[in-house]
Amino acid sequence: QVQLVESGGALVQAGGSLRLSCEASGSIFSITAMGWYRQAPGKQREVVARITSGGSITHYAESVKGRFTISRDNAKNTLYLQMNSLKPEDTAVYYCNTDFLRGLAPWSWGQGTQVTVSS
C-alpha cells in the first residue's frame, strides 16, 4: 500500500503564499493521476486540483483557479501545490491522493497538512 505524507502547511496572512508537498512511498506514483483535496471544519472534503500522471494536464476548482498551481516530480515521487493570494476561505486540512474523479481507487489517506489563513 502506498503511503502519503503531506507537508508544508502553516499559518499565513491573507494574500500570502505556501507550497505544499506530498511524498508517496511507491513507484506507482509516477503512473498515477493525482489530486489535492481539502477539508474545512464542518464541511465535506473537496477536490482542489488534479494532474495527470505525466503532469501535462491539470484541472482546478473554480475557487482556486488562477491562484493555485499543481505540479509533480515523478523522479522524487512528490506532488506539489503552490498556493498564492491565499484567502481565509482556503483554511482547511489539505490532503493528496489519487485522482479518483477519474475512477481510480484512492490510496490510504495521509495525515494531511493544516493551512490556516488569517484575515
Side-chain angles (χ1 to χ4, degrees):
Q1 181 67 279
V2 176
Q3 303 292 325
L4 298 167
V5 179
E6 300 92 347
S7 63
L11 171 63
V12 63
Q13 288 190 329
S17 298
L18 284 174
R19 188 194 196 201
L20 306 184
S21 298
C22 165
E23 187 169 349
S25 62
S27 59
I28 194 174
F29 171 85
S30 65
I31 60 170
T32 304
M34 296 293 294
W36 280 100
Y37 306 84
R38 68 185 180 186
Q39 187 167 19
K43 295 187 177 181
Q44 287 191 332
R45 190 171 293 170
E46 62 175 352
V47 61
V48 175
R50 302 152 59 209
I51 188 168
T52 52
S53 58
S56 60
I57 300 174
T58 57
H59 300 279
Y60 298 92
E62 283 299 322
S63 59
V64 307
K65 199 171 290 185
R67 300 188 298 122
F68 290 11
T69 303
I70 187 171
S71 63
R72 65 192 299 161
D73 185 338
N74 286 340
K76 296 181 178 179
N77 282 357
T78 303
L79 183 73
Y80 302 101
L81 185 68
Q82 177 66 44
M83 306 188 296
N84 298 328
S85 302
L86 282 161
K87 303 176 180 181
E89 51 264 43
D90 294 319
T91 295
V93 179
Y94 284 72
Y95 304 86
C96 64
N97 212 310
T98 63
D99 181 5
F100 42 84
L101 294 183
R102 289 174 166 261
L104 299 176
W107 296 333
S108 296
W109 292 95
Q111 82 288 349
T113 187
Q114 175 71 49
V115 172
T116 303
V117 184
S118 64
S119 57

